[in-house]
Amino acid sequence: MIQNLVPKFTVADLDALMRATFPQAFHDGGPFEITEVFPSGAVLQLNPQESHLRYGGTVSGPTMFALADVAGYLAILAHVEGAAGTVTANMNINFLRKPDFASLYARSHLLRLGRLTAVTETSIYALSDDTLVAHATATYSIPPIKK
Amino acid sequence: MIQNLVPKFTVADLDALMRATFPQAFHDGGPFEITEVFPSGAVLQLNPQESHLRYGGTVSGPTMFALADVAGYLAILAHVEGAAGTVTANMNINFLRKPDFASLYARSHLLRLGRLTAVTETSIYALSDDTLVAHATATYSIPPIKK
Amino acid sequence: MIQNLVPKFTVADLDALMRATFPQAFHDGGPFEITEVFPSGAVLQLNPQESHLRYGGTVSGPTMFALADVAGYLAILAHVEGAAGTVTANMNINFLRKPDFASLYARSHLLRLGRLTAVTETSIYALSDDTLVAHATATYSIPPIKK
Amino acid sequence: MIQNLVPKFTVADLDALMRATFPQAFHDGGPFEITEVFPSGAVLQLNPQESHLRYGGTVSGPTMFALADVAGYLAILAHVEGAAGTVTANMNINFLRKPDFASLYARSHLLRLGRLTAVTETSIYALSDDTLVAHATATYSIPPIKK
């Protein structure tokens, strides 16, 4: 992890940004909830809805992918101004244990923050007992700052 | 690619199985359509719906993940009997170009088919002009055959 | 990480095993040195030799790959009896910062330990100042125990 | 694959560059031999030496990593002027079948060639019978062109 990187934005700042930019996913009663910003990282909670169910009574893989993807995006946005245009270039995800169909949270932190790219590491846990259910690393492209 | 692996199931077989198992995603007018089964592989088309839209007028990353994930699953199911319980263990996906918000197709083939695991490689293309927009490799766990 | 997994073998046990199995890499004055076994993990140090040099005065990528690969292997061997036949099935590695041509160490721990597969996460640091220089996740196939 | 990308350099050009830059690996009687440049890609052959042997009579994982890594690097160098400073940012490699301890070749092509990054896909085959033994995708950082 990159030590001592002080966040520039709060949970409330990021929440307002996400509600404005991704209103389908971020709204009252929606599936995603930003619960923490910490030095070099952020935590995103998923309260799964019926569309996130997979056969077998578990949270689907694409849903966990989305959770890791957005958590990493938020870890970047919390530390970089004007980075809303950041896009995912690569993600590698390991599905470790089949979660129950219940709330999960993704804790993501920056492994590297460059001027044009960032690398994040994200662990997804069951909210009920903190069991690790998936793990991901991702690379994002950060758009050049317009001056 | 594994050469000369003869499919055991047809597009119609797989379509019937998917409609029974994943009715939210596979139904008339649904987003997914199995369009081809070929030696060692399968092709899955996505006709994106509003929930697959990402800010910027493109197909979202989780949607492309889902497309690659299901296409690899189908490449396995087309060649293995009784493998519906197959689950994704790992996926590595590269997003190469931002697609338009329009139909995509994923062409997936088996790199390795073992008794308990399979490795697939999947390319995602824009249907309109065959531009490569994403590329993925994945490992799946195949459940042991009950005897 | 998998909590509370008690190692079954010590640094000395693993060192003896590696000297017997991989004598080119593990010998007095050799590049690799097992420095720690801890619950769910192990630490492997690299003291680079001239063959590990890359143009630009840094440790080569394949050397860091080897370091992560062997560290994950040792994390498994420390916790599983009779697993010397374990082989790497997949590795995903991110090179984060160019290290100096000097000693590195890899801290690897188990994200998942199944009967036939294990997933490890490994961080590679510069020994001089603990800077994170690379990060890897890997999947290993563990051979079935002969009875 | 990126269609119709015409190489700017030949096998002889790349060979001369590699002998000058990486003389340990590229020299008469050395392990690596560039055998082909084709539109959007290149082929690199490995003639394994004793240091590439792994317990079990096979080519070691780090050696196959190195082969894929250098092959992707050459695929880029064949198509971009002044890119010798290109470095690997990420590699994901799947080991599919245990090769014999004999010559292998890596066929690498560009999935994406941007101004500052490139993504390659590489298949490693046994030279004797063209069996696919490993598969990798990688991201490289290309240094900005000095003007």
Side-chain angles (χ1 to χ4, degrees):
Chain A
M1 194 187 331
I2 301 173
Q3 304 296 340
N4 301 326
L5 211 57
V6 181
K8 297 189 174 173
F9 297 98
T10 65
V11 167
D13 294 336
L14 295 178
D15 185 57
L17 176 67
M18 296 302 280
R19 283 172 182 252
T21 317
F22 299 101
Q24 309 102 306
F26 285 83
H27 55 80
D28 289 346
F32 286 122
E33 187 184 341
I34 307 167
T35 55
E36 193 185 338
V37 167
F38 61 91
S40 303
V43 180
L44 179 66
Q45 184 172 319
L46 171 82
N47 303 309
Q49 304 187 333
E50 198 178 325
S51 66
H52 305 122
L53 185 63
R54 188 200 192 273
Y55 179 77
T58 188
V59 178
S60 77
T63 301
M64 286 191 273
F65 173 92
L67 178 58
D69 190 24
V70 179
Y73 176 80
L74 289 167
I76 297 166
L77 263 60
H79 295 84
V80 183
E81 276 181 73
T86 292
V87 295
T88 311
N90 171 266
M91 184 172 290
N92 184 64
I93 185 164
N94 284 286
F95 298 102
L96 302 168
R97 287 168 200 86
K98 195 170 111 167
D100 289 336
F101 186 70
S103 292
L104 303 174
Y105 66 96
R107 188 172 177 89
S108 183
H109 63 261
L110 297 162
L111 294 177
R112 178 174 183 278
L113 179 61
R115 204 167 45 84
L116 293 173
T117 62
V119 180
T120 62
E121 183 204 338
T122 305
S123 297
I124 298 181
Y125 301 92
L127 184 63
S128 63
D129 63 1
D130 297 328
T131 304
L132 181 66
V133 297
H135 180 273
T137 48
T139 303
Y140 295 81
S141 294
I142 304 173
I145 294 168
K146 291 167 200 113
K147 291 177 186 177
Chain B
M1 195 184 335
I2 301 173
Q3 304 295 340
N4 301 324
L5 209 58
V6 181
K8 297 188 173 174
F9 297 98
T10 64
V11 166
D13 294 335
L14 294 178
D15 185 57
L17 176 66
M18 295 302 279
R19 283 171 182 253
T21 316
F22 299 101
Q24 309 101 305
F26 285 83
H27 56 80
D28 290 346
F32 286 122
E33 187 183 342
I34 307 168
T35 55
E36 192 184 340
V37 166
F38 62 90
S40 303
V43 180
L44 178 67
Q45 184 172 319
L46 171 83
N47 302 308
Q49 304 186 333
E50 197 178 327
S51 65
H52 305 122
L53 185 63
R54 187 198 192 277
Y55 178 77
T58 187
V59 177
S60 77
T63 301
M64 287 191 272
F65 173 92
L67 178 59
D69 190 26
V70 178
Y73 177 81
L74 289 167
I76 297 167
L77 261 62
H79 296 84
V80 182
E81 277 182 71
T86 293
V87 294
T88 312
N90 171 266
M91 183 172 290
N92 184 63
I93 186 163
N94 283 287
F95 298 102
L96 303 167
R97 285 166 203 88
K98 195 170 111 166
D100 288 337
F101 187 70
S103 291
L104 303 175
Y105 66 95
R107 190 172 176 88
S108 183
H109 63 262
L110 297 162
L111 294 178
R112 178 174 183 277
L113 178 60
R115 204 167 46 83
L116 294 173
T117 60
V119 180
T120 61
E121 184 203 336
T122 304
S123 297
I124 298 181
Y125 301 92
L127 184 64
S128 63
D129 63 2
D130 297 328
T131 304
L132 180 66
V133 297
H135 180 273
T137 49
T139 303
Y140 295 82
S141 294
I142 304 173
I145 294 168
K146 292 171 200 109
K147 290 178 185 174
Chain C
M1 195 185 332
I2 300 173
Q3 303 295 339
N4 300 324
L5 211 57
V6 180
K8 297 189 174 173
F9 298 99
T10 64
V11 166
D13 294 336
L14 295 178
D15 185 56
L17 176 66
M18 296 302 280
R19 282 171 182 254
T21 316
F22 299 100
Q24 310 102 305
F26 286 84
H27 56 81
D28 289 345
F32 285 122
E33 185 185 345
I34 308 169
T35 54
E36 190 185 340
V37 167
F38 61 90
S40 303
V43 179
L44 179 67
Q45 185 172 320
L46 171 83
N47 302 310
Q49 304 187 334
E50 196 177 329
S51 66
H52 305 122
L53 184 64
R54 187 199 193 277
Y55 179 76
T58 187
V59 178
S60 77
T63 302
M64 287 192 272
F65 174 91
L67 178 59
D69 191 23
V70 179
Y73 177 79
L74 289 168
I76 297 167
L77 261 62
H79 295 85
V80 182
E81 277 182 71
T86 293
V87 295
T88 312
N90 170 267
M91 184 172 290
N92 184 65
I93 186 164
N94 283 286
F95 298 102
L96 303 167
R97 285 168 204 87
K98 197 170 110 166
D100 288 336
F101 187 69
S103 293
L104 303 175
Y105 66 95
R107 189 174 176 88
S108 183
H109 63 262
L110 298 162
L111 294 178
R112 179 174 183 277
L113 178 60
R115 203 166 46 81
L116 294 173
T117 61
V119 180
T120 62
E121 183 203 338
T122 304
S123 297
I124 298 181
Y125 302 91
L127 184 64
S128 63
D129 63 0
D130 298 328
T131 303
L132 180 67
V133 297
H135 179 273
T137 49
T139 302
Y140 295 82
S141 294
I142 304 172
I145 295 168
K146 291 165 201 119
K147 292 178 187 176
Chain D
M1 195 185 334
I2 300 172
Q3 303 296 340
N4 300 323
L5 210 58
V6 181
K8 297 189 173 173
F9 298 98
T10 65
V11 166
D13 295 335
L14 295 178
D15 185 56
L17 176 67
M18 295 302 279
R19 282 170 181 255
T21 317
F22 299 100
Q24 310 102 306
F26 286 83
H27 55 82
D28 288 347
F32 287 121
E33 186 184 343
I34 307 167
T35 55
E36 191 185 340
V37 166
F38 61 90
S40 303
V43 180
L44 179 67
Q45 185 172 320
L46 171 82
N47 302 309
Q49 303 187 334
E50 198 178 327
S51 65
H52 304 120
L53 184 64
R54 186 197 193 278
Y55 179 76
T58 187
V59 178
S60 76
T63 302
M64 287 192 272
F65 174 91
L67 179 58
D69 190 25
V70 179
Y73 177 80
L74 289 167
I76 296 166
L77 262 61
H79 295 84
V80 181
E81 277 182 71
T86 292
V87 294
T88 313
N90 170 268
M91 183 172 290
N92 183 63
I93 185 163
N94 283 286
F95 298 102
L96 302 167
R97 287 168 201 85
K98 195 171 110 166
D100 289 336
F101 187 69
S103 292
L104 303 175
Y105 66 95
R107 190 173 175 89
S108 183
H109 64 261
L110 298 162
L111 294 178
R112 179 173 183 278
L113 179 60
R115 203 166 45 84
L116 294 173
T117 63
V119 180
T120 62
E121 184 204 337
T122 304
S123 296
I124 297 181
Y125 302 91
L127 184 64
S128 63
D129 63 2
D130 297 329
T131 303
L132 181 66
V133 298
H135 179 273
T137 48
T139 303
Y140 295 82
S141 294
I142 305 172
I145 296 168
K146 293 169 200 113
K147 291 178 187 175

